[in-house]
Amino acid sequence: MKKQPKQKINKDKIDKIDKKNIGPDSLAENRVDKQSQMGSVEYINRELSWLEFNERVLEEARDKSNPLMERLKFLAITSSNLDEFFMIRVASLKDLVNAGYREADPAGMTPVQQLTAISRRTHKMVQKQYSTYNRALIPALEREDIRIVKPDNLTTEQAEFVRNYYNSTVYPILTPLAVDAGRPFPLIGNRSINLCVRVEKPEQLASESEDDDNLDPVHPDFAIIQIPSVIPRLLQLPDLPGSRSYILLEDIVRIHLSELFSGIEIISAGCFRIMRNADLDLEEEEAADLLKAIEKQLKMRQWGQVIRLEAEDDFDPVMLKLLKKLLPIDEEDVYEINGPLDLTMLFKLKAPENREDLYYLPYESQPSPMLSDDLFQSIRQHDVLLHHPYEQFEPVVELIREAAADPDVLAIKQTLYRVSGQSPIIASLAAAAEMGKQVMVLVELKARFDEENNINWARKLEKAGCHVIYGLVGLKTHSKITLIVRRDEDGIRRYVHLGTGNYNDITAGIYTDFGLLTCAENIGQDASAFFNMLSGYSEPHSWRRLVPAPYWLRPDTLRRIRQETMHARAGKKAQIIAKVNSLVDEELIHALYEASQAGVKIDLIVRGICCLRPGIAGMSENIRVRSIIGRFLEHSRIFYYYNDGQEDLFLASADWMPRNLDRRVEIMFPIEDEAVRTRIMQVLDIQLNDTNRSRLMQPDGSYIRVDRRGKVPLDCQIALCEEAVIAAGEDVSKLPERRFVPVEAENYEPDEI
C-alpha cells in the first residue's frame, strides 16, 4: 500500500514559521514585543478577520440588487478565496501544530484554538455557500432558462449529444485506477475532482459487513477516476433558442460507469476533492539556483499534506470512512457538500445571447486627461496620475513599448511581480534588449501561484538578452517601479513609473490602483539607488523621496503616526486617513490606539483583514474602519497625515502587515504635485462618503451596512466611473444607469492570503 506523503517539519524551523504566519517580526530596529502587555481585547484574530472578509464577498452573491450572472461570479470568488485560504493559512497553522507550537497570537489564540474556530466558521460558510447556490441562484437561473441539467433530466437529443461527446472526447482521456489487494491507493492531486466508484466482484461475499470499525483498507474493492481538467468541466447542451443548458463533466462520466466497469456490479459512486498544503517551504540560503529550487517545490505542491476533504453529501459512508483513513485526515477537516464540488466552475457559466440585462454593463476605461500623444513630453511638463480601471492602463504599456523602440532611450529597469499570460510589457522588454539597450528586470519568482508563469517569463527575458535577477534572499520584491533612462535635448533624464498595483494589463481592468508617472529629479535619483540596491551590494543610508521596505518603511510610518499623536496632545488638529488591503501589524495597531486616545481622528478603509478593533471607549473611539466590496477589487494603498497643516500624502505598494514592512521589498512614494494631490484626496472623500458599497466594522469584528437614512445615496465606484468619463470630455448623460463591472471577472486574483 502506497502511503500518502506527510509534510516533514523540523522543530528548528518553528521560529521561522511563527514569524511567517502569525507573530511580529524582528527585522526592524528597536522593535518591542508587546505581546505580554496586550490583552486579546485589543486584537482580532487574523484568520477569523479574513473569513469575515470572505463572508462580505458571499453577501454580494446573495444580494438580489446585483445582476444574476454577477452573483454567480461572486459565489465563485468565495470558493476560490476559500481554497487558497486552506492551502496557505490553514496549512501553515497545521505546520505549527505538528511542530508542537503552543504560543498564542496577539488575539490570544493558540494554533489549535485557531484551527478549531476556523473549522467551525468555515463549515457554516460552506453551508451558506451551497444554500445560496441551491435555494437562490439555481432557481433564479431556471427562471431565466439557464440550467445545469442532471442526468435524469436530459432530453433524448441532449442524451445523444452527451453520449457522442463522451465517446469522442471523454472516454479516451479517462484512466480508472482500481484499488484492491494488489493495487495501492493512488496519489490524489491537489484540488482535482475525483469519482470514487465502489464495486463488487462476482466472487465477493455479499455478507461483508459495512459497519466493521477495523475495516481492511484494501476492502471493499473500489476505483478512483480523476475527472479530466484538460477539457471544460461544463458542457453546453443543445437547447431551444434563448435557453442555455449545461451538464457537469463528472455527471457525464457517472452516466457511463457501466461501460467503464463492464461485468462488475457498481455499488456506489460519488465525487470527492482534497486540498493540500501548497505553501512553499523554501530555504533560499541553501538554494544554489533559486529558479531550479522553486521549480522543484512547485512539483511538490501537488503532493503536500492533505488538509481538507470535500465529498458529496450522499457519498457512500463506507467509502468516506475509508478515504479518511487512507488520506489520512481528521473529522473536522471533512466537508460534506450539498451540490457540485468546486464552485469556481460558475465563472464559465454564460447567459443566452442578448441577455446583457443579466450582467453589469462593461465599463470602458477612459483616457487620462493628463496625457498627450507624446508621453515623454507630458511627463516632462507635470506629474501624471493614472487611476485604474477608471482610466486606461494602456499608457503604461505604451510607455514601455515606446521606450523599447526609442533610440534615445538608453536603459530600462523594472520590477515584475505578477503579469498577464500574454504580457505586452514582457514583449517590449525583450525587444528593447534585442535592440541593444540596457534592460534589467527583477522577476519575483516567489509570487504565490504565479511562480511557474514567472519562471517562464524570466527565461524568455534572459534569452532576449535582459539582465534578469530573482530578488533578494529572504525577501519578496513586491514593489512596482519602472525606470527609463533617456537622452533628452537638455541632457540625460530619468522617467519613473511608480504604482500600487502589478504590471498586469488584465487585472488592471479589475483592480483599483494608482500609477504615478514622473521625471522629478529626486525620485529619479532614488529610483537609480533602488535598482542598484536590488542588483548589486549598494544599500543607501538615506533616501530623498522614496520610502522603501524593509528597514525604512516601518519606522517612517510609526514616526508619522506618533507625530499626529503629538499634535493632538498639543491641542492641534490631527488626522490620519489610510486605505490598505489589510491591517495586521501589531506595532502599528498599538500606535493607532495611542493616537486615538490622544484625540487623532482616524479613518481607515481596509478591504480585507483588519485586526484592529475600532470604536472602543478609552482605546479606539476615534477610529472608524470601513470595507468597500464592489465590482472592482479595491487594491490601492493611500496614506494621508494632516501634519499640522502640511498634509502629507503618499501612495504605496505595501499594506500594513508584518510581511510587507519587514520581509518584502516595497516602496511608499510621496505625492507632491498639487493637481495629483487634489485628485487623490477627491477619491478618499468619495469613498469615505460612500453609502452603497461600504460596510462599517464593529468592535467585535463584524460589519454592518452604512445607515443610509438622511444621506445622499452614493456608490463610490459608480461615482469614480462618472468622474473619469467627465474628465475625458465625454457626455455623462450617455452613461447607463446600471452599475459598471469589468468584463472578465474570472480574472479576479485576490492578494496573497
Side-chain angles (χ1 to χ4, degrees):
M1 175 67 61
K2 187 182 295 184
K3 293 184 179 180
Q4 294 292 301
K6 291 187 178 180
Q7 182 149 341
K8 296 180 181 179
I9 187 160
N10 189 324
K11 291 192 176 184
D12 293 337
K13 296 182 181 179
I14 292 177
D15 185 57
K16 172 187 171 184
I17 298 171
D18 173 37
K19 290 177 181 178
K20 183 177 181 182
N21 293 285
I22 61 172
D25 210 325
S26 59
L27 279 176
E29 292 183 3
N30 301 321
R31 296 240 13 226
V32 178
D33 183 6
K34 301 181 177 64
Q35 173 71 39
S36 59
Q37 65 220 49
M38 292 184 174
S40 62
V41 70
E42 297 190 5
Y43 300 98
I44 293 170
N45 174 261
R46 181 199 198 280
E47 319 307 341
L48 297 182
S49 181
W50 184 89
L51 288 171
E52 189 72 32
F53 157 67
N54 208 37
E55 190 81 32
R56 297 195 293 279
V57 179
L58 180 54
E59 284 180 14
E60 294 297 318
R62 298 167 67 87
D63 186 347
K64 294 181 180 179
S65 69
N66 289 324
L68 177 57
M69 302 307 291
E70 307 303 339
R71 294 171 65 190
L72 292 177
K73 290 177 182 177
F74 278 117
L75 186 59
I77 289 169
T78 65
S79 181
S80 175
N81 284 352
L82 204 58
D83 282 359
E84 184 177 345
F85 176 74
F86 268 85
M87 291 188 294
I88 303 302
R89 299 304 307 176
V90 173
S92 294
L93 285 170
K94 286 185 176 291
D95 283 348
L96 291 174
V97 172
N98 293 339
Y101 187 91
R102 294 184 178 87
E103 292 188 24
D105 74 335
M109 300 179 70
T110 66
V112 170
Q113 290 172 328
Q114 292 182 66
L115 287 171
T116 299
I118 288 168
S119 178
R120 184 165 54 246
R121 183 71 182 270
T122 51
H123 274 88
K124 290 181 180 179
M125 182 178 291
V126 170
Q127 289 176 357
K128 194 172 181 179
Q129 282 180 309
Y130 281 89
S131 172
T132 303
Y133 175 81
N134 290 313
R135 299 175 62 182
L137 297 180
I138 288 297
L141 285 169
E142 291 176 350
R143 288 193 293 270
E144 303 296 343
D145 284 330
I146 306 170
R147 293 174 177 81
I148 298 179
V149 182
K150 296 293 185 183
D152 292 343
N153 297 326
L154 292 169
T155 66
T156 303
E157 181 187 7
Q158 290 172 341
E160 183 64 22
F161 180 84
V162 167
R163 179 168 183 79
N164 290 336
Y165 181 76
Y166 173 81
N167 289 331
S168 65
T169 305
V170 181
Y171 175 73
I173 304 173
L174 296 179
T175 305
L177 298 173
V179 181
D180 53 28
R183 288 169 286 197
F185 185 63
L187 284 172
I188 306 298
N190 186 31
R191 299 175 74 181
S192 64
I193 295 175
N194 298 270
L195 198 58
C196 179
V197 184
R198 181 182 175 187
V199 300
E200 184 173 293
K201 298 175 183 176
E203 68 274 13
Q204 192 168 337
L205 294 177
S207 61
E208 191 173 282
S209 173
E210 295 185 353
D211 298 319
D212 184 7
D213 288 336
N214 297 313
L215 188 66
D216 185 335
V218 299
H219 292 289
D221 292 322
F222 67 99
I224 301 294
I225 305 172
Q226 181 174 320
I227 303 302
S229 59
V230 292
I231 55 178
R233 188 172 169 210
L234 282 171
L235 174 67
Q236 185 176 342
L237 300 170
D239 209 337
L240 297 173
S243 300
R244 282 281 173 94
S245 293
Y246 297 89
I247 188 170
L248 289 163
L249 183 55
E250 56 264 37
D251 283 339
I252 296 176
V253 176
R254 219 184 306 238
I255 293 170
H256 297 88
L257 285 178
S258 60
E259 298 174 28
L260 280 172
F261 298 94
S262 58
I264 303 294
E265 182 179 355
I266 296 172
I267 305 300
S268 65
C271 284
F272 73 95
R273 185 174 81 122
I274 64 169
M275 209 85 48
R276 293 184 181 273
N277 186 331
D279 197 14
L280 299 184
D281 185 17
L282 186 68
E283 293 289 352
E284 292 183 57
E285 294 85 353
E286 301 172 7
D289 188 324
L290 183 60
L291 188 147
K292 289 183 179 178
I294 290 179
E295 283 184 313
K296 182 179 179 181
Q297 286 290 322
L298 285 176
K299 294 176 182 177
M300 294 302 296
R301 180 175 274 169
Q302 279 291 317
W303 316 118
Q305 178 189 5
V306 178
I307 55 173
R308 184 182 181 195
L309 167 64
E310 294 176 336
E312 293 174 328
D313 60 359
D314 59 353
F315 201 88
D316 185 329
V318 172
M319 296 312 305
L320 184 59
K321 180 179 178 181
L322 187 55
L323 280 180
K324 286 186 285 188
K325 285 184 178 181
L326 292 170
L327 286 170
I329 193 164
D330 297 328
E331 185 65 38
E332 61 266 25
D333 297 321
V334 177
Y335 291 73
E336 296 186 28
I337 304 298
N338 180 23
L341 307 185
D342 188 5
L343 292 175
T344 59
M345 57 89 178
L346 295 174
F347 280 133
K348 302 299 183 182
L349 203 67
K350 303 298 181 185
E353 300 291 339
N354 303 318
R355 291 304 309 272
E356 292 85 359
D357 57 303
L358 298 180
Y359 295 90
Y360 293 135
L361 289 181
Y363 170 72
E364 184 176 346
S365 298
Q366 299 296 303
S368 169
M370 303 185 77
L371 285 172
S372 64
D373 292 338
D374 189 329
L375 293 177
F376 290 111
Q377 182 181 10
S378 296
I379 301 169
R380 284 196 299 272
Q381 290 174 345
H382 50 70
D383 287 357
V384 175
L385 182 74
L386 300 174
H387 192 191
H388 316 301
Y390 308 106
E391 294 176 338
Q392 296 170 351
F393 185 73
E394 181 59 27
V396 179
V397 176
E398 185 60 30
L399 183 67
I400 308 300
R401 184 183 297 123
E402 288 188 13
D406 189 340
D408 290 324
V409 168
L410 308 176
I412 305 173
K413 302 181 181 184
Q414 189 170 31
T415 59
L416 296 177
Y417 192 72
R418 298 186 195 277
V419 294
S420 65
Q422 300 294 326
S423 174
I425 288 178
I426 295 285
S428 294
L429 292 171
E434 289 167 353
M435 292 178 65
K437 301 182 189 299
Q438 289 287 318
V439 180
M440 191 277 275
V441 187
L442 186 147
V443 179
E444 181 48 74
L445 298 183
K446 301 184 291 297
R448 185 174 293 143
F449 300 121
D450 263 353
E451 299 97 340
E452 187 172 2
N453 188 45
N454 286 3
I455 287 171
N456 293 334
W457 285 131
R459 285 182 167 149
K460 178 177 180 179
L461 289 168
E462 284 180 330
K463 288 180 180 178
C466 299
H467 301 294
V468 179
I469 58 176
Y470 304 136
L472 305 178
V473 173
L475 301 171
K476 279 187 181 180
T477 302
H478 191 248
S479 54
K480 331 295 183 183
I481 181 172
T482 301
L483 170 64
I484 297 171
V485 181
R486 188 173 189 263
R487 185 192 299 110
D488 288 342
E489 292 181 358
D490 54 349
I492 299 296
R493 182 174 277 109
R494 284 171 280 212
Y495 296 83
V496 180
H497 174 269
L498 293 156
T500 67
N502 298 310
Y503 289 106
N504 188 317
D505 53 297
I506 302 299
T507 58
I510 300 169
Y511 293 13
T512 70
D513 273 306
F514 285 108
L516 180 72
L517 295 167
T518 183
C519 59
E521 182 60 23
N522 283 334
I523 288 182
Q525 291 179 12
D526 275 357
S528 290
F530 179 81
F531 279 106
N532 289 340
M533 178 182 72
L534 294 181
S535 62
Y537 294 106
S538 170
E539 186 176 303
H541 296 292
S542 62
W543 300 84
R544 296 168 178 82
R545 290 291 184 271
L546 301 184
V547 185
Y551 311 124
W552 296 278
L553 182 54
R554 176 184 290 280
D556 186 89
T557 301
L558 287 169
R559 178 179 65 82
R560 293 182 185 281
I561 294 172
R562 289 165 181 161
Q563 184 173 258
E564 294 301 312
T565 305
M566 291 171 55
H567 290 320
R569 287 173 177 162
K572 299 178 180 179
K573 176 181 176 181
Q575 183 182 13
I576 297 171
I577 305 173
K579 181 177 186 291
V580 292
N581 298 321
S582 299
L583 171 54
V584 175
D585 190 80
E586 186 182 352
E587 191 172 18
L588 292 191
I589 290 173
H590 187 70
L592 290 170
Y593 285 155
E594 290 181 337
S596 171
Q597 293 159 25
V600 180
K601 301 299 180 184
I602 303 172
D603 281 291
L604 304 175
I605 305 171
V606 185
R607 185 196 75 225
I609 304 166
C610 183
C611 297
L612 175 148
R613 294 185 185 272
I616 296 178
M619 184 176 79
S620 58
E621 66 266 37
N622 288 311
I623 304 178
R624 294 163 298 279
V625 179
R626 67 175 55 219
S627 173
I628 298 173
I629 305 291
R631 50 208 150 287
F632 299 137
L633 179 75
E634 293 293 335
H635 193 252
S636 56
R637 291 91 166 185
I638 312 172
F639 305 100
Y640 166 85
Y641 305 92
Y642 184 71
N643 192 16
D644 198 19
Q646 293 186 41
E647 299 191 89
D648 300 325
L649 183 63
F650 300 87
L651 300 177
S653 60
D655 288 310
W656 278 354
M657 304 177 74
R659 73 184 186 197
N660 297 98
L661 299 170
D662 301 329
R663 300 190 298 277
R664 289 187 173 187
V665 180
E666 306 271 13
I667 295 178
M668 183 172 76
F669 49 99
I671 302 300
E672 298 175 331
D673 182 281
E674 279 304 315
V676 174
R677 289 170 61 89
T678 298
R679 289 186 60 200
I680 295 173
M681 293 306 297
Q682 286 174 342
V683 171
L684 286 176
D685 183 62
I686 288 171
Q687 295 199 330
L688 290 173
N689 286 285
D690 174 87
T691 62
N692 293 15
R693 296 288 103 200
S694 295
R695 294 169 176 83
L696 304 180
M697 187 179 182
Q698 304 304 293
D700 65 354
S702 63
Y703 287 76
I704 61 172
R705 292 276 190 176
V706 173
D707 185 352
R708 302 182 188 181
R709 291 175 297 182
K711 296 183 176 71
V712 176
L714 175 63
D715 184 312
C716 63
Q717 294 190 346
I718 289 179
L720 291 169
C721 287
E722 292 174 348
E723 290 280 340
V725 170
I726 293 170
E730 297 294 329
D731 184 359
V732 73
S733 66
K734 296 180 181 178
L735 287 173
E737 294 182 2
R738 289 195 291 115
R739 304 171 182 179
F740 297 107
V741 79
V743 177
E744 292 295 340
E746 65 188 80
N747 288 307
Y748 177 101
E749 296 175 1
D751 290 337
E752 291 182 3
I753 290 173

